[in-house]
Amino acid sequence: MIEITSANIEKAINKARQTKPFVKVIEFRLYSVTNKTTGATYEVKFTKINNTKYAECNCKATVICYHIGASIGAHIVLAEQMHTATA
Ligand SMILES: [Zn+2]
């Protein structure tokens, strides 16, 4: 599990913009990210503990990777929708 910071997530989002992987929602906080070129699919999971956000991906990277960068966009939209739904 890696802590998400504004610096590391920005890098990951930029990388995701170049790679443009396909993101599928498995459930809230769980996403499947597929590299359209290689077909490799990885699972990304988001966790929030005491207002600190964490993410993990089952790829080889030990940093906030572009899979996390790609899925956080979908995650933010879903989180907002859920917030609106419960408000
Ligand atoms: Zn990854």
Side-chain angles (χ1 to χ4, degrees), residues 57 59 65 67:
C57 177
C59 75
C65 60
H67 306 114

Side-chain angles (χ1 to χ4, degrees), residues 39-82:
T41 301
Y42 299 100
E43 264 181 26
V44 174
K45 210 168 133 185
F46 291 99
T47 315
K48 199 172 167 187
I49 303 166
N50 296 331
N51 271 336
T52 306
K53 289 173 194 158
Y54 298 91
E56 58 184 304
C57 177
N58 64 354
C59 75
K60 278 183 275 177
T62 51
V63 294
I64 296 288
C65 60
Y66 76 90
H67 306 114
I68 296 170
S71 42
I72 198 151
H75 179 65
I76 289 167
V77 171
L78 272 181
E80 277 172 2
Q81 282 173 356
M82 291 195 50

